[in-house]
Amino acid sequence: MRAAAARAVAAVARGATLEDALEAVPAASGRDAALLRSLAYGACRWHHRLEWLSAELLDRPVEALGVELAALLRIGLLQLSAMRIPDHAAVSATVDAARAIGAPRAKGLVNAVLRRYLRERERLDRAMADVPRARYSHPDWLIDTVRTEHPERWIEILDANNAPPPMWLRVNARRGSRDAYLERLADAGIAAAEHGRETWPEDAILLAEPVPMARLPGYAEGDVSVQDAGAQHVLARLALEPGQRVLDACAAPGGKAAHMLERCDLGELVAVDRDPARLDAARAMLARLGLEATFVHGDAATPGEWWDGKSFDRVLLDAPCSALGVIRRHPDIKMLRTREDVERAAALQESLLDALWPLVAPGGRLVYVTCTIVHCENGAQIDRFLARHPDAVVAADFPPEQTLPGEANRDGFYYACIDKQQASRWRVPGSKH
Ligand SMILES: C[S@@+](CC[C@H](N)C(=O)[O-])C[C@H]1O[C@@H](n2cnc3c(N)ncnc32)[C@H](O)[C@@H]1O
């Protein structure tokens, strides 16, 4: 498992997402699969700290090791510094894995570095306190960004990013109530969290501990899905009514589309995404839940290519974003994302907002959502949009809201509800009418 984890983490270091990287390594099952995931996720979560430790412990530049051996060393240090694996077992399994990754001659080096860590652990822990990227295990640019954007809360946010994520469920309202599902969970020996229930969205359940999806009663039959509470809060903001025509402009893999269809008898839900594999995943998800939508493989920034010209009562733009609010679920974001990605995401969001606004019916609503925590993709994005579109007003019932990672156990999300005024209620600047 150590070798497979090292290969996956090395693939992330070369630019792959962790989920893609894990799919590419040989499949493991049962406890092996669980260990592989905790090693790979842990190595991404603590990457910047482990990288610093490696540099402190090696007598040569880390780059000289090659990507896979460096990843294996981090996997070894992860076990000794952050996992409940006995030291001797962690060292010997990691040393053995050097052969499996094709570096048998590095066994001595791996052994020496891990044993040196065990001897110098206390000194290193003290030294780490003065090195922010090691202490908080985030890249320097991201620490600076979070600190600048949230000067009062930055440490809390970085700590929340490093915590293992909770598991939230969404009960399929078409197939039973939340209370009934809580009873089914209790019968299956799965505990729901007790604390903070009053803050759960209406279909949500927070589990006391994550469990494999296969253990969830009725999962295959579509009685329940896994979805963070932050994502479930989108539904109320859409203020859906039966019969409405709704566009989900960036729909895959379909979580929010499914929630809409579970809760409301819509006239039609058009689900667009430009990624065909993700769109297939959305199709499969809706099929499991017994729900139907009109799927469109297309670019939401160029609706002229796929729109039939009939306006929508509601448009959900769950925008591609820098995803800095979901780092605890996707710790590889800390290794993959750059400052430039944030700027690129903001530019894409602006073009999506402008392209989709004409599709909203007068009196209709566009709900803009991101899972990030930076102003240029959130509040500033919406302020600029409102300045460009005189017929757009912030909805009175839901002012824009930013939640931060970990707050009420949720991921970090931003929501803005923008209503389109009826044509008679606004004027084009400079027009006499
Ligand atoms: C945040 S995810 C959407 C999650 C989804 N709404 C859900 O609840 O499961 C953003 C999605 O936008 C898609 N996307 C990115 N750029 C796009 C574009 N120009 N047009 C359509 N889809 C796009 C991505 O493929 C991705 O699936």
Side-chain angles (χ1 to χ4, degrees):
M1 280 316 103
R2 274 80 178 170
R7 288 211 174 93
V9 172
V12 178
R14 292 192 191 99
T17 67
L18 180 53
E19 278 306 311
D20 286 350
L22 282 170
E23 262 177 37
V25 298
S29 58
R31 289 172 62 167
D32 279 353
L35 177 60
L36 171 60
R37 288 186 80 80
S38 24
L39 289 169
Y41 271 81
C44 291
R45 184 164 289 129
W46 297 109
H47 173 81
H48 297 86
R49 175 175 297 181
L50 300 169
E51 198 177 45
W52 177 82
L53 282 173
S54 302
E56 288 289 303
L57 292 163
L58 278 162
D59 56 6
R60 66 193 82 167
V62 183
E63 298 73 43
L65 301 187
V67 181
E68 290 203 349
L69 184 54
L72 180 64
L73 212 49
R74 293 198 297 276
I75 298 278
L77 292 167
L78 168 76
Q79 295 165 80
L80 300 179
S81 61
M83 289 176 83
R84 283 197 222 117
I85 297 178
D87 292 347
H88 63 275
V91 173
S92 84
T94 308
V95 169
D96 287 347
R99 181 183 298 283
I101 63 161
R105 286 200 295 183
K107 285 174 88 167
L109 174 108
V110 173
N111 188 44
V113 169
L114 297 184
R115 290 191 185 283
R116 181 171 174 202
Y117 172 75
L118 291 174
R119 286 194 306 277
E120 299 185 21
R121 186 164 15 200
E122 284 171 19
R123 174 188 74 77
L124 289 163
D125 283 352
R126 280 195 303 276
M128 192 190 296
D130 298 328
V131 186
R133 73 175 191 289
R135 175 174 179 170
Y136 301 113
S137 197
H138 281 64
D140 286 328
W141 77 266
L142 188 48
I143 296 174
D144 288 349
T145 300
V146 176
R147 195 173 181 161
T148 309
E149 298 265 341
H150 302 281
E152 312 283 322
R153 310 274 301 268
W154 67 280
I155 295 182
E156 213 179 305
I157 295 170
L158 299 181
D159 285 345
N161 289 347
N162 287 335
M167 186 168 185
W168 284 94
L169 307 181
R170 186 190 75 240
V171 176
N172 182 348
R174 289 194 184 269
R175 298 185 53 107
S177 71
R178 175 166 70 177
D179 284 346
Y181 197 78
L182 279 165
E183 282 178 25
R184 292 172 72 187
L185 283 175
D187 290 346
I190 299 173
E194 292 292 338
H195 183 70
R197 284 193 178 192
E198 64 290 348
T199 66
W200 295 358
E202 62 179 342
D203 299 317
I205 294 175
L206 175 63
L207 296 186
E209 294 286 337
V211 299
M213 277 189 312
R215 274 194 62 201
L216 296 171
Y219 179 82
E221 294 74 32
D223 297 350
V224 73
S225 298
V226 176
Q227 187 181 44
D228 190 82
Q232 296 188 48
H233 278 295
V234 172
L235 184 82
R237 288 169 166 79
L238 283 159
L240 297 175
E241 286 170 25
Q244 283 181 333
R245 186 160 198 254
V246 177
L247 171 66
D248 188 349
C250 290
K256 296 180 193 71
H259 198 193
M260 288 189 246
L261 293 163
E262 287 168 359
R263 267 287 163 191
C264 195
D265 291 320
L266 298 174
E268 185 182 17
L269 176 76
V270 178
V272 175
D273 205 281
R274 75 170 175 197
D275 182 328
R278 288 174 65 93
L279 204 58
D280 281 347
R283 277 196 191 91
M285 179 195 289
L286 262 57
R288 177 179 65 82
L289 295 166
L291 304 167
E292 283 179 15
T294 306
F295 289 97
V296 176
H297 173 217
D299 185 339
T302 52
E305 292 167 7
W306 48 265
W307 183 39
D308 62 7
K310 287 189 242 155
S311 58
F312 292 95
D313 303 297
R314 299 287 181 266
V315 170
L316 171 60
L317 173 54
D318 187 14
C321 68
S322 56
L324 302 182
V326 293
I327 286 176
R328 59 188 191 158
R329 284 189 197 286
H330 303 286
D332 48 335
I333 288 171
K334 291 192 285 186
M335 296 169 67
L336 298 171
R337 206 63 83 240
T338 64
R339 205 187 281 275
E340 292 68 42
D341 289 333
V342 174
E343 287 157 20
R344 269 193 288 273
L348 175 59
Q349 291 148 4
E350 185 171 316
S351 66
L352 287 167
L353 278 163
D354 285 348
L356 294 168
W357 186 241
L359 280 61
V360 181
R365 172 174 292 186
L366 182 147
V367 176
Y368 175 76
V369 180
T370 72
C371 57
T372 199
I373 58 169
V374 285
H375 197 51
C376 69
E377 296 182 60
N378 294 340
Q381 182 74 272
I382 290 304
D383 288 348
R384 290 196 305 271
F385 176 80
L386 292 168
R388 289 195 302 276
H389 297 275
D391 56 345
V393 288
V394 167
D397 48 351
F398 283 110
E401 188 182 352
Q402 171 79 72
T403 61
L404 297 176
E407 242 175 7
N409 275 305
R410 290 181 253 158
D411 291 342
F413 269 89
Y414 175 80
Y415 320 85
C417 302
I418 312 292
D419 287 345
K420 185 180 259 190
Q421 293 188 320
Q422 301 287 351
S424 58
R425 295 182 45 206
W426 63 278
R427 280 184 290 145
V428 176
S431 141
K432 295 194 181 112
H433 306 290

